[in-house]
Structure formats: C-alpha cells, structure tokens
Amino acid sequence: MGVPGLLGEFLRARRARLLPDDVGLPEYHERRRVAGLRREELAQLAGVSVSYYTRLEQGQSVNASDAILDAIAGALRLDEHEREHLHQLAAQRPRPQRRPPPERLDPLTREMMRSLESVPALVLGRRTDVLAWNALGHALLAGHLDRTAPERPADRPNLARMLFLDPHTRDLYADWPRKARAVVGNLRQVAGRHPDDALLASLVGELSMKSPEFAALWSDHRVKPCEADEYELRHPLVGALAVAQQILVPARTPEQSVVVVTTADGSGAENAIKLLAMRARD
C-alpha cells in the first residue's frame, strides 16, 4: 500500500493537468466539474477498472503491480522521473517520521572541494542544506552570509529556504521562477524517497506557510532532479553573468551533491569570476 495521501495527491495532480484532447479521447464540450481527466477516463486509458484506480488514488490498493503502474504512468504521460516517483510512492509503507542525524561531509568530498578552488562550488545535503562551500562558491552565491556557517549543523544555510525567503538570493537569479521550479522539483523527488524524514517535512511546512509561491509549486507535484542548467545571475559586486550549474555525485554519499559553477571560456562571465576571486582573497 502506498503512503496514504502522497500517492493520491501525486496522481490527482498529474491527472488534473491533462484534458481529453491531450490523450485522444473525444470531448463533448460539456461542463466539467473537475480540472483535467476524470477518474473513469484515466482508468479507461490505463486499462484498469474505475474502482481499482479510485482505491489506488485513495492509497487503499495493496501491491499494485509494476505493469499496472506503468500503464497508469503511460496514461498520465509521465516522464521517466515522474514514473520512478510513482513506483516509489506505490511501494512505500506508512512509517512514523523520525529526526535523522545531521548530514556529514565525507573526507574525500572535502578533498574534492579543495581541488575546486578555481571555480565556485558547494556541497548540498539531500534537503538542500549547505554542507560546505569554497571561497568562490560563497562569494558568488551567498556573500552576505557567514562563510563559516556550514561548519555548524545548527546554523547551516539551506538553499531552498534562501531561494524563497532570502531577498538577496532571490535577486541573484534573473529567471527566479525557473530556479524555484528546479529546486522544488528536486525536493519532491527526495520527499518521495524519504517520506519519514521529519526534518524535510519541517522544511516543507515552514516554506509552505511563509511562501505562497513555494506552496503553489509544491502542490503541483512536479518531480525533476537537479542535474545541470544554465542561469543568468545578477551579482551585486560583478554584475550580470551567465553560468552553468552542474551536479557531481560523491561516490560515498550519493544523496549529497557537489554543485560546480562554470562559465564559457573567454567570456565576460569568466572575467567576472576572476574578479570575484580576487575580491574573495582580499
């Protein structure tokens, strides 16, 4: 049985974004009382009974087979990340939430960070807590914060919290909505893997209460891991610069990620990073 609530919320959110015309069903232009496909329409597309699909949305169907889940995923037009998320939610059993210990930075990851001194870099935990950053990473992304904060688990900055609640971080991204969607999509995937993580639940609750934008994105159930993307930054010291943010996964701590920021060779952004490095050494 999937975790009550999570599986149904995901299925309803994905069903709501589809219309009959999107999936090749006839539409008779009658007034529809719900957004998106009806349960019976989705069940028809997936080749399952309406009662079975209804039980699945209610978290009451035990041991849904991979074949049925794949059929529902196909009917909902899920991408590979959403399909994996669906399988994870359906396979989970209800468990009490627990408070996990603070994440630790592996010594080999710390050594990797030392080798990345010439580019901005930071290490994020699975809940987007900043576990470490080098001088350039701090100067580029959070120069207004205490550089030593990641060394103290109780004071660690959190990227999601910064993005939604810190005006400095919000102003840094020229296309803030795109960055916000990426971070929330990644948190959704993590929440699917760790529904018992009390610290993650607390973070989501805090952001949902304090940021209507986060609450809206979270309710959309978008699932997408952060991998690599390009952003236009508006830095208060060196101005506008185009960067790429790429993710490295440490072998010993695969739920953590090393975010490396690069620039095009010979670009103005590369010169801006060099100028920032000089300032960071002062």
Side-chain angles (χ1 to χ4, degrees):
M1 180 186 299
V3 175
L6 294 178
L7 178 60
E9 288 173 8
F10 177 69
L11 289 172
R12 286 191 292 273
R14 297 280 70 80
R15 180 164 59 86
R17 72 179 184 179
L18 292 175
L19 294 173
D21 189 56
D22 297 329
V23 294
L25 292 177
E27 187 169 7
Y28 300 108
H29 303 290
E30 78 275 25
R31 183 176 180 181
R32 304 176 70 87
R33 289 181 288 181
V34 295
L37 293 179
R38 299 187 178 102
R39 282 176 176 167
E40 56 267 28
E41 292 170 331
L42 196 285
Q44 174 188 342
L45 288 169
V48 299
S49 70
V50 177
S51 61
Y52 181 88
Y53 179 76
T54 299
R55 292 196 303 273
L56 194 64
E57 273 200 3
Q58 295 173 345
Q60 298 174 357
S61 183
V62 179
N63 298 324
S65 69
D66 288 345
I68 287 178
L69 293 174
D70 284 338
I72 292 172
L76 288 170
R77 305 296 195 262
L78 301 186
D79 63 26
E80 60 177 308
H81 303 301
E82 294 170 324
R83 185 181 295 260
E84 179 184 1
H85 187 66
L86 172 63
H87 280 266
Q88 288 173 341
L89 293 180
Q92 290 166 355
R93 302 295 185 268
R95 292 182 294 180
Q97 288 193 341
R98 60 185 181 84
R99 185 181 180 89
E103 292 185 80
R104 295 183 177 181
L105 193 65
D106 186 83
L108 289 182
T109 305
R110 193 179 298 277
E111 291 299 320
M112 181 193 301
M113 290 292 287
R114 288 199 185 99
S115 72
L116 294 172
E117 290 183 352
S118 63
V119 295
L122 65 158
V123 183
L124 296 179
R126 74 185 188 202
R127 293 175 292 272
T128 72
D129 292 324
V130 179
L131 307 184
W133 47 29
N134 62 12
L136 261 178
H138 171 257
L140 178 65
L141 301 174
H144 62 293
L145 300 180
D146 180 0
R147 182 178 168 184
T148 66
E151 300 169 13
R152 303 181 298 276
D155 297 330
R156 282 173 175 163
N158 177 276
L159 181 61
R161 187 180 287 113
M162 292 163 58
L163 195 64
F164 284 92
L165 304 181
D166 181 349
H168 295 277
T169 306
R170 187 185 185 108
D171 290 344
L172 181 65
Y173 288 89
D175 190 350
W176 179 87
R178 186 162 63 88
K179 180 63 176 178
R181 287 193 301 270
V183 169
V184 174
N186 185 71
L187 276 180
R188 260 295 176 194
Q189 186 180 55
V190 174
R193 292 197 300 262
H194 302 280
D196 58 336
D197 187 332
L199 292 177
L200 178 57
S202 177
L203 174 66
V204 170
E206 175 193 355
L207 293 177
S208 296
M209 291 181 62
K210 294 180 178 179
S211 171
E213 292 155 315
F214 178 89
L217 289 171
W218 189 254
S219 66
D220 184 57
H221 286 260
R222 183 183 300 270
V223 179
K224 186 174 178 60
C226 289
E227 294 169 338
D229 213 337
E230 296 178 334
Y231 294 99
E232 182 80 22
L233 302 184
R234 299 176 298 197
H235 196 274
L237 296 180
V238 296
L241 63 162
V243 303
Q245 294 184 359
Q246 303 184 63
I247 303 296
L248 307 177
V249 180
R252 289 185 176 179
T253 51
E255 290 202 321
Q256 297 176 8
S257 56
V258 180
V259 182
V260 179
V261 181
T262 59
T263 57
D265 186 31
S267 65
E270 183 182 47
N271 294 330
I273 293 295
K274 291 178 179 178
L275 176 60
L276 197 61
M278 295 173 58
R279 290 177 175 266
R281 288 194 295 266
D282 291 341

